[in-house]
C-alpha cells in the first residue's frame, strides 16, 4: 500500500446545524465552527468533514442542495467559508465537504428548468417519464424515506420523475454526460478553493438498472426497496473512475465514500492505491440487525455480533486499502447507546467502545459529541422528532400494529435525530449551543455530559480520546497503529474483544465487552508487558494474566 498524507490523521465530523450557533438564531453556523477550531485542535483533530452547508431548503438537512456554489445564509456566507479554510490551514487542519451528487434539491435551478421545459436540455438532467393517471408506474420501487420513488413533475400532470430519497431530492441523470461535466466542474471549483477533499454521499445510487422495472415486493405495500434496483445496476465503476480522473486524482484530494455492499473482489477498485476513492466507511457494525437507515424493528447489537462484524470488515481489507472507522454519524443513533447494553452505559464502557474501534486499522473518524460521550436522547413525543426518515419509520411501525408509545420507543432507539441534538458545550442554558431557541431540542443530560466539565479532567471521556489520538500520532507507536497488521486473538472467548497490531512494535488491544470482571491469560510474549493505555486504574498484569473489570480496556505493549 502506498503511503498517503492522510493515513496518520484523525478526522472529525461536524454536523453544522447542531455544532455551535454564533448569532442566536438556534442554528449552528460557520462562525460557530471557526470559534471552536482551537477546541478541535486541542483534541488532536487534523481533518474536519462538514456535513452540507450549501444552499438548501433543508428538507433533508442540507442533503438536498439548491446551489452547489453558495453557502446557505443560515450557515453563513462564502466569506465565512473562506475564513474557515484559512483558519483551518493556519492550524494545519484540512477541511473536507460533503459531496451530494446523486440528487439535488427540487429547488435547484436545473430542476426548475426541467419543470419549465421537460423536453428541453434540463429535462435530460433527471429521470423524467410520461405517465398518465391510472397507468402502471415504470417500477414498484419504494424510496429510502418511504413512499414511491415516482412523483408527478410539478406543472405536468402527465409526467413523473424519479427520487431514490425524498421527493424534494430528484435524482440526477448520470447517464447524461452534460450532468457529469457540470458536477466535475463544481468539484474542481471547490478543490481550487483549497478544500482537502470530500465525503461522498450516497454515491452507489448514481448508477440505475435501466430500464426501470418491478422487483419482488418486500413489504405489504407491494413495493420493493430502491436498494434492490441499485444492487442490480452494473457499471457504477465507470462513472466513479471518470469522476476521480477528472477531479480528485489531479489534486491528491482525500475522499471517503459512503459505500454499501461492495464485493470483496471489488474493494481494490474502490479504495486500492489507484481506487476511485481514498477510503470508504466501514458500515459492517452499523448494519448488524438493521438495514440502511435503521428501522424500528432492529434488535439491540450483541458484543459477539460486534466482534464478528468488526473483524470481518477489517480482515477482508488487509493489504487492499484503508477503511474509515466510525461508531456513529449523523445517520445513526449514538454509538454508546447503540452498542453498549442499556444500563451499562458509563464512562468506562464508553472508553472501551472508543478504544476498540479507534485502534483498528484505518482512519478514525469522531462524530461531534462522541468525544464527550454524548448519548441518545429520550424522545417524549414524535413531535420532538424532525428527521424525515424517523417520521416515516414511525408511520411504518404504527401500520405494523404498534401502539403510539411502542412505536415512539422503537424508533427512538435508532433515530437519526439522536446524533443531531445540539452539541453539549457546557451546563448553561441550551448546553451553551445557542442563546436562542435550538432548532432541535437539547438532550436533557447536558448538565452531566458536556465539554466544559471534561476538558480539564484527566479521567474524562474527552481526555481518553485525546490520549488515543496522541498515541496514534506518537513517534513511538504511529507506525504500528497506522500500518501494523491486524491479528484477532482469543476470538472464541465470549464477549472478549482482543487483537494485536503488529508493525515495528507489537501491541495488544484487549476489551472486556461484558459487565462481569474477568481474568485473561495473555498471549505468550506479554509476560512482563506494560499497559500503555487503559480505561480503569484497577487493571494490572501479573503472572501473565490481566484482570479486567466490566468493560475494562487496555492497550498493552509486548
Ligand atoms: C446519505 C446521508 C444522509 C442523507 C442521504 C441522502 O445517506 O448521509 O443523511 O439523508 O444520503 O442524501
Ligand atoms: Ca446561527
Amino acid at each position: 500500500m502506498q503511503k498517503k498524507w492522510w493515513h496518520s490523521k484523525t478526522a472529525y465530523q461536524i454536523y453544522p446545524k447542531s455544532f455551535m450557533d454564533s448569532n442566536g438564531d438556534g442554528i449552528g453556523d460557520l462562525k460557530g465552527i471557526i470559534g471552536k477550531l482551537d477546541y478541535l485542535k486541542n483534541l488532536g483533530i487534523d481533518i474536519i468533514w462538514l456535513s452540507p452547508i450549501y444552499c438548501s431548503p433543508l428538507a433533508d438537512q442540507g442533503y438536498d442542495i439548491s446551489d452547489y456554489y453558495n453557502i446557505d445564509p443560515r450557515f453563513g456566507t462564502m466569506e465565512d467559508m473562506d475564513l474557515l479554510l484559512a483558519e483551518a490551514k493556519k492550524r494545519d487542519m484540512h477541511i473536507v465537504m460533503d459531496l451530494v451528487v446523486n440528487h439535488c434539491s427540487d429547488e435547484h435551478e436545473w430542476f426548475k428548468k426541467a419543470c419549465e421545459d421537460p423536453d428541453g436540455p434540463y429535462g435530460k438532467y433527471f429521470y423524467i417519464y410520461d405517465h398518465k393517471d391510472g397507468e402502471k408506474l415504470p417500477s414498484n420501487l419504494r424510496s429510502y424515506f418511504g413512499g414511491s420513488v415516482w412523483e408527478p413533475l410539478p406543472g405536468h400532470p402527465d409526467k413523473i420523475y424519479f427520487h431514490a430519497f425524498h421527493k424534494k431530492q430528484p435524482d440526477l441523470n448520470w447517464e447524461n454526460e452534460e450532468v457529469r461535466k457540470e458536477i466535475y466542474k463544481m468539484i474542481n471549483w471547490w478543490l481550487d478553493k483549497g478544500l482537502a477533499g470530500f465525503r461522498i454521499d450516497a454515491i452507489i445510487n448514481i448508477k440505475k438498472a435501466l430500464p426501470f422495472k418491478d422487483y419482488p415486493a418486500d413489504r405489504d405495500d407491494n413495493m420493493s426497496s430502491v436498494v434492490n434496483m441499485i444492487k442490480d445496476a452494473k457499471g457504477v465503476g465507470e462513472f466513479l473512475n471518470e469522476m476521480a480522473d477528472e477531479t480528485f486524482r489531479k489534486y491528491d484530494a482525500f475522499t471517503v465514500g459512503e459505500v454499501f455492499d461492495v464485493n470483496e473482489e471489488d474493494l481494490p477498485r474502490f479504495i486500492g492505491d489507484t481506487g476511485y476513492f481514498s477510503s470508504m466507511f466501514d458500515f459492517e457494525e452499523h448494519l448488524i440487525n438493521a438495514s440502511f437507515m435503521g428501522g424500528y424493528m432492529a434488535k439491540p447489537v450483541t458484543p459477539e455480533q460486534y466482534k464478528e462484524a468488526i473483524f470481518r470488515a477489517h480482515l477482508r481489507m488487509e493489504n487492499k486499502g484503508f477503511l474509515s472507522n466510525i461508531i456513529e454519524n449523523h445517520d445513526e443513533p449514538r454509538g454508546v447507546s447503540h452498542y453498549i447494553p442499556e444500563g451499562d452505559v458509563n464512562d468506562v464502557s464508553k472508553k472501551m467502545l472508543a478504544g476498540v474501534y479507534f485502534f483498528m486499522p484505518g482512519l478514525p473518524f469522531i462524530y461531534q459529541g462522541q468525544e464527550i460521550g454524548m448519548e441518545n436522547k429520550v424522545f417524549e413525543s414524535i413531535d420532538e422528532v424532525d428527521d424525515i426518515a424517523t417520521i416515516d419509520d414511525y408511520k411504518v411501525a404504527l401500520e405494523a400494529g404498534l401502539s403510539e408509545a411502542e412505536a415512539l420507543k422503537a424508533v427512538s432507539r435508532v433515530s437519526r435525530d439522536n446524533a443531531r441534538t445540539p452539541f453539549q458545550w457546557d451546563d448553561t442554558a441550551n448546553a451553551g449551543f445557542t442563546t436562542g431557541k435550538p432548532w432541535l431540542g437539547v438532550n436533557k443530560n447536558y448538565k452531566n455530559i458536556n465539554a466544559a466539565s471534561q476538558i480539564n479532567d484527566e479521567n474524562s471521556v474527552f481526555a481518553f480520546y485525546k490520549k488515543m489520538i496522541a498515541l496514534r500520532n506518537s513517534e513511538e507507536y504511529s507506525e504500528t497503529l497506522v500500518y501494523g497488521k491486524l491479528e484477532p486473538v482469543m476470538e472464541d472467548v465470549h464477549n472478549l474483544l482482543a487483537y494485536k497490531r503488529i508493525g515495528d512494535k507489537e501491541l495488544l488491544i484487549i476489551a472486556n465487552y461484558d459487565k462481569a470482571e474477568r481474568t485473561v491469560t495473555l498471549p505468550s510474549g506479554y509476560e512482563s508487558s506494560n499497559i500503555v493505555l487503559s480505561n480503569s486504574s484497577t487493571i494490572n498484569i501479573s503472572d501473565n494474566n490481566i484482570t479486567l473489570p466490566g468493560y475494562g480496556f487496555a492497550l498493552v505493549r509486548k
Side-chain angles (χ1 to χ4, degrees):
M1 192 166 41
Q2 267 168 36
K3 296 199 170 171
K4 293 282 168 61
W5 66 266
W6 49 269
H7 280 160
S8 58
K9 307 285 187 213
T10 302
Y12 188 94
Q13 180 189 355
I14 291 183
Y15 195 69
K17 201 175 181 188
S18 305
F19 191 57
M20 182 64 204
D21 175 21
S22 72
N23 63 352
D25 65 356
I27 296 178
D29 46 53
L30 288 172
K31 282 211 174 80
I33 296 171
I34 295 169
K36 295 295 182 186
L37 284 178
D38 287 332
Y39 165 83
L40 297 174
K41 186 73 195 172
N42 173 34
L43 177 59
I45 300 305
D46 309 295
I47 297 176
I48 297 172
W49 151 28
L50 297 180
S51 274
I53 46 167
Y54 312 87
C55 290
S56 165
L58 303 190
D60 186 23
Q61 302 303 359
Y63 286 90
D64 47 322
I65 298 172
S66 55
D67 181 355
Y68 289 94
Y69 292 92
N70 275 300
I71 305 296
D72 192 281
R74 282 164 287 198
F75 296 128
T77 62
M78 194 55 84
E79 287 72 52
D80 296 339
M81 185 63 201
D82 290 336
L83 186 63
L84 173 63
L85 287 169
E87 289 295 322
K89 196 166 177 201
K90 257 194 222 165
R91 293 165 176 81
D92 203 17
M93 294 162 106
H94 309 264
I95 303 285
V96 165
M97 280 170 91
D98 228 298
L99 184 66
V100 189
V101 288
N102 171 67
H103 44 267
C104 59
S105 162
D106 65 340
E107 296 181 33
H108 192 287
E109 64 163 3
W110 295 336
F111 193 73
K112 287 188 194 155
K113 286 182 181 159
C115 293
E116 274 161 28
D117 179 12
D119 299 321
Y122 289 97
K124 300 190 179 57
Y125 272 47
F126 301 92
Y127 294 98
I128 295 175
Y129 296 92
D130 291 331
H131 179 263
K132 295 217 170 50
D133 218 15
E135 258 175 27
K136 194 190 159 328
L137 292 164
S139 71
N140 64 339
L141 296 171
R142 181 191 320 103
S143 72
Y144 289 112
F145 296 143
S148 170
V149 294
W150 301 105
E151 186 68 19
L153 188 71
H156 301 271
D158 55 345
K159 291 193 190 296
I160 50 173
Y161 70 93
F162 175 89
H163 60 92
F165 291 85
H166 194 258
K167 64 180 180 197
K168 285 187 69 63
Q169 294 168 302
D171 280 52
L172 287 162
N173 181 358
W174 275 69
E175 305 294 337
N176 179 351
E177 195 187 345
E178 247 176 79
V179 170
R180 301 202 302 276
K181 284 201 170 132
E182 280 290 345
I183 291 172
Y184 306 154
K185 189 175 95 191
M186 179 273 291
I187 295 174
N188 290 330
W189 185 84
W190 278 104
L191 291 171
D192 283 334
K193 246 180 173 314
L195 210 68
F198 293 97
R199 174 267 185 180
I200 306 176
D201 184 72
I203 194 66
I204 295 306
N205 294 281
I206 63 176
K207 187 75 192 183
K208 324 292 186 210
L210 298 173
F212 287 106
K213 60 170 195 212
D214 283 354
Y215 288 81
D218 53 17
R219 272 193 212 159
D220 291 345
D221 59 7
N222 282 327
M223 290 197 239
S224 182
S225 166
V226 64
V227 167
N228 296 325
M229 180 274 288
I230 296 300
K231 281 188 182 157
D232 193 24
K234 303 270 172 315
V236 70
E238 282 155 45
F239 290 158
L240 299 179
N241 202 42
E242 179 185 89
M243 171 162 64
D245 266 343
E246 297 292 325
T247 63
F248 315 136
R249 287 178 183 142
K250 296 185 187 165
Y251 294 80
D252 195 18
F254 167 73
T255 54
V256 49
E258 187 196 24
V259 175
F260 290 89
D261 293 322
V262 182
N263 300 324
E264 184 155 356
E265 58 277 16
D266 288 338
L267 288 172
R269 291 200 289 123
F270 274 78
I271 59 170
D273 282 340
T274 55
Y276 315 135
F277 308 124
S278 313
S279 181
M280 60 190 232
F281 289 109
D282 163 31
F283 288 121
E284 288 304 313
E285 305 75 46
H286 309 268
L287 293 174
I288 301 170
N289 299 346
S291 56
F292 173 62
M293 301 231 179
Y296 74 94
M297 287 181 301
K299 289 204 181 65
V301 176
T302 69
E304 285 295 308
Q305 285 180 313
Y306 192 86
K307 174 164 73 180
E308 188 277 327
I310 199 167
F311 285 152
R312 175 163 38 83
H314 286 84
L315 289 172
R316 69 174 201 159
M317 267 335 288
E318 195 175 6
N319 297 326
K320 297 199 182 80
F322 225 72
L323 281 176
S324 285
N325 301 327
I326 58 171
I327 62 165
E328 64 202 39
N329 66 22
H330 67 293
D331 292 330
E332 305 276 341
R334 288 287 177 178
V336 294
S337 304
H338 192 60
Y339 297 116
I340 300 168
E342 223 180 322
D344 291 353
V345 181
N346 53 44
D347 280 5
V348 173
S349 56
K350 286 175 183 179
K351 291 174 191 170
M352 182 216 73
L353 189 66
V356 165
Y357 102 100
F358 194 88
F359 295 116
M360 277 283 164
L363 181 67
F365 270 73
I366 298 168
Y367 177 73
Q368 68 180 43
Q370 180 186 324
E371 76 279 19
I372 56 167
M374 280 179 65
E375 299 172 4
N376 275 358
K377 181 175 159 129
V378 180
F379 293 98
E380 270 148 26
S381 142
I382 193 69
D383 301 333
E384 286 179 20
V385 174
D386 176 276
D387 173 36
I388 45 182
T390 310
I391 291 168
D392 178 64
D393 202 19
Y394 180 74
K395 213 178 81 194
V396 175
L398 289 182
E399 280 162 12
L402 272 67
S403 72
E404 285 185 8
E406 287 163 346
L408 183 67
K409 196 162 173 231
V411 304
S412 289
R413 285 199 301 113
V414 289
S415 172
R416 306 197 294 178
D417 274 356
N418 283 308
R420 299 177 179 185
T421 62
F423 190 101
Q424 292 161 214
W425 291 106
D426 56 37
D427 64 2
T428 65
N430 299 317
F433 161 73
T434 180
T435 53
K437 185 178 179 314
W439 73 275
L440 186 69
V442 171
N443 195 319
K444 285 204 179 101
N445 63 17
Y446 74 92
K447 293 217 188 262
N448 299 323
I449 300 174
N450 63 68
S453 67
Q454 296 191 23
I455 292 172
N456 298 315
D457 171 1
E458 62 171 78
N459 291 317
S460 65
V461 175
F462 179 89
F464 192 78
Y465 271 91
K466 204 173 154 174
K467 283 181 210 156
M468 293 197 300
I469 298 171
L471 206 61
R472 194 167 172 277
N473 288 341
S474 70
E475 216 166 292
E476 221 179 335
Y477 298 115
S478 178
E479 197 280 336
T480 305
L481 287 172
V482 176
Y483 294 108
K485 183 179 148 64
L486 168 72
E487 191 184 299
V489 290
M490 298 179 262
E491 260 184 285
D492 48 1
V493 181
H494 189 70
N495 291 0
L496 184 80
L497 208 157
Y499 57 91
K500 291 180 183 171
R501 296 296 308 276
I502 308 170
D504 63 0
K505 313 238 169 16
E506 186 179 311
L507 299 167
L508 174 73
I509 285 92
I510 184 163
N512 179 14
Y513 204 150
D514 197 306
K515 64 160 131 260
E517 182 190 277
R518 73 165 92 213
T519 298
V520 183
T521 304
L522 290 166
S524 70
Y526 283 84
E527 291 76 15
S528 53
S529 292
N530 293 324
I531 294 176
V532 182
L533 178 73
S534 74
N535 66 349
S536 159
S537 56
T538 66
I539 301 178
N540 55 56
I541 296 177
S542 80
D543 299 336
N544 201 24
N545 288 329
I546 187 166
T547 300
L548 298 161
Y551 299 101
F553 168 90
L555 186 145
V556 183
R557 179 178 173 167
K558 190 174 178 179

